[in-house]
Amino acid sequence: MGGYLGSYATLGLLLAASVLFFVVAFSANRVLRPARPADPPGKRASYECGLDPVGGDWAQMQIRYYVYAYLYVLFAVEAVFLFPWAVVFDRPGFGLVTVAEMGIFVAVLALGILYAWRRNILRWT
């Protein structure tokens, strides 16, 4: 198929083949499935590690998990900035200014972790 409408014909054939595949797959599923699937007792119960669930489904999360996640992201970002800096630092033209910039960056992060430590945010209870 060539010419102006050739690419549209190819696209139409691909679309028709995909619709046909979809219809055949779902028809085969309907034909091959059991007519009355088994429903043994306990099949629709919640499953948690092989133990029967006890209590309600509402559980409150402590804010401390979010603090740990935030601190992890903070120091992961620090690592992302430190590795390229360490690679570029060896090149000419990046001298004392680069060291000072990274020192300020690390000092701000160190102040943050010191603040969290002094406020006992990192203490697990």
Side-chain angles (χ1 to χ4, degrees), residues 1 4 6 8 13 15 25 27 30 33 46 50-51 72-73 75 80 84 88 99 102 105 113-115 122:
M1 291 182 206
Y4 180 71
Y8 288 111
L13 286 174
L15 184 64
S27 298
R30 185 174 284 278
R33 73 176 182 169
S46 298
L51 302 174
Y72 170 75
V73 168
F75 288 103
V80 165
V88 171
V99 173
M102 191 50 64
F105 177 71
I113 193 75
L114 182 67
Y115 175 79
L122 301 177

Side-chain angles (χ1 to χ4, degrees), residues 65-118:
Y65 297 125
Y66 297 109
V67 171
Y68 279 101
Y70 179 73
L71 288 173
Y72 170 75
V73 168
L74 181 71
F75 288 103
V77 168
E78 177 188 8
V80 165
F81 282 128
L82 281 175
F83 286 123
W85 172 80
V87 171
V88 171
F89 177 69
D90 192 29
R91 295 185 184 163
F94 296 95
L96 191 58
V97 175
T98 308
V99 173
E101 289 174 352
M102 191 50 64
I104 292 170
F105 177 71
V106 171
V108 168
L109 289 174
L111 283 174
I113 193 75
L114 182 67
Y115 175 79
W117 190 358
R118 298 279 292 195

Side-chain angles (χ1 to χ4, degrees), residues 33-79:
R33 73 176 182 169
R36 291 184 175 257
D39 197 11
K43 181 176 181 178
R44 301 193 190 280
S46 298
Y47 180 75
E48 297 178 11
C49 304
L51 302 174
D52 291 332
V54 177
D57 60 349
W58 175 255
Q60 290 184 341
M61 185 77 63
Q62 291 186 11
I63 192 70
R64 116 177 37 251
Y65 297 125
Y66 297 109
V67 171
Y68 279 101
Y70 179 73
L71 288 173
Y72 170 75
V73 168
L74 181 71
F75 288 103
V77 168
E78 177 188 8

